[in-house]
Amino acid sequence: MSESARRLVAREQVLAYVLCALFVGFFVAAEVLGGKLFRFTLLGIGPDDLGLGDGTEFVATAGILAFPLTFVMTDIVNEYFGRPIVRLFTWIAIGVNLLLQPVIRAAIAVPAISFTPGITDADMQRGFQVAFGQTTNIVLASLTAFAIAQWLDVRVFTWLRHSTGGRYLWLRAQGSTVVSQLVDTIAVIYLAFVGIPLLTGGQPWSLGDAFSVSLTNYVYKFLIAVGSTPVLYLVHGAVDVYLGKETAEALVHHAHPSDPD
């Protein structure tokens, strides 16, 4: 193998490693940050203005600050490496998250010490537990919903890519994301607060409440997905520059050999 060929292979490998690290990192960050909630409006518009409930403010988990980026990474990985690699990265992300659960539980169990004036050891312990102590129901529902959403995302992405002959990156990326995010949102709410409680003897939400929360959550996920389009093009452009146009096109063709000519 020539020196130039080795460099090209190395760049493709480095790209795969970086994308995998970002994909897993964003997903794990979204899961870990999920314990914090915050309120917001959409330029003064709340759920009551959209007919999504009586509240004047949306309530979201801090995980949405990182979670949409996993779908950006999904689309980039699918674009350059295809569905098999997306599936591999998905299982790696789920596996890492599962492996972290005992570590997080152990970290919560260890007594906290506070050196911050005005905050007691008990305050620090309670805050840490609230921030990181997500229930088993939510963890299982989130991971299951993520696997289903990823399965759907790559298929919609590939179908749109084939249908448009490889044109309109924004369409296949955002089209696959808004569909998969809808499924993810509905699946995680219904699994965590309806399905699993019914199976384990817990107190489930009503179907109406679950639908209302799912719809509200999807509104801001949809807006974030659409708003991330510039980020998608920025990453796509950076990858093309890093690989070189010819190598990037060859990688894409190898990942999607069934594209129309």
Side-chain angles (χ1 to χ4, degrees):
M1 181 183 293
S2 66
E3 182 63 27
S4 60
R6 280 195 295 271
R7 284 199 300 268
L8 290 178
V9 172
R11 282 182 176 253
E12 293 173 12
Q13 290 175 340
V14 170
L15 175 62
Y17 299 152
V18 170
L19 290 177
C20 183
L22 291 174
F23 178 85
V24 174
F26 286 138
F27 177 67
V28 171
E31 293 293 309
V32 172
L33 295 173
K36 179 180 179 178
L37 301 176
F38 65 95
R39 291 186 173 91
F40 69 99
T41 62
L42 303 173
L43 301 177
I45 299 174
D48 55 345
D49 299 308
L50 300 174
L52 300 177
D54 300 327
T56 58
E57 296 177 310
F58 291 100
V59 177
T61 167
I64 68 167
L65 302 176
F67 191 66
L69 295 174
T70 64
F71 285 90
V72 172
M73 291 298 103
T74 296
D75 294 333
I76 293 296
V77 173
N78 198 352
E79 179 80 357
Y80 290 97
F81 295 98
R83 287 193 294 184
I85 303 302
V86 174
R87 286 196 297 268
L88 175 62
F89 286 7
T90 298
W91 289 119
I92 291 175
I94 292 173
V96 169
N97 198 280
L98 288 173
L99 289 172
L100 281 177
Q101 292 308 308
V103 177
I104 294 173
R105 296 294 189 271
I108 293 173
V110 175
I113 298 176
S114 174
F115 293 102
T116 304
I119 299 179
T120 66
D121 292 353
D123 292 335
M124 184 68 74
Q125 177 67 20
R126 178 59 179 166
F128 195 90
Q129 184 173 2
V130 170
F132 296 101
Q134 296 190 62
T135 66
T136 302
N137 286 6
I138 293 177
V139 172
L140 292 177
S142 178
L143 295 180
T144 302
F146 179 68
I148 296 172
Q150 286 291 98
W151 177 87
L152 181 62
D153 186 282
V154 296
R155 279 157 178 76
V156 174
F157 182 98
T158 303
W159 177 77
L160 287 172
R161 179 182 176 85
H162 182 77
S163 299
T164 60
R167 300 185 300 274
Y168 312 123
L169 172 63
W170 65 270
L171 178 61
R172 61 181 177 270
Q174 302 307 341
S176 61
T177 297
V178 297
V179 171
S180 58
Q181 288 272 27
L182 176 62
V183 172
D184 178 84
T185 303
I186 293 174
V188 71
I189 295 297
Y190 275 85
L191 283 172
F193 301 107
V194 180
I196 295 178
L198 283 173
L199 293 174
T200 58
Q203 182 62 44
W205 287 6
S206 70
L207 295 180
D209 287 344
F211 177 77
S212 177
V213 172
S214 297
L215 189 58
T216 302
N217 286 357
Y218 181 66
V219 168
Y220 54 76
K221 284 186 178 182
F222 175 85
L223 293 175
I224 290 176
V226 174
S228 66
T229 301
V231 177
L232 176 73
Y233 275 92
L234 180 64
V235 175
H236 191 277
V239 170
D240 282 351
V241 171
Y242 174 72
L243 292 177
K245 184 176 181 180
E246 184 177 341
T247 303
E249 290 178 351
L251 199 60
V252 170
H253 178 71
H254 183 266
H256 304 278
S258 61
D259 278 354
D261 294 331

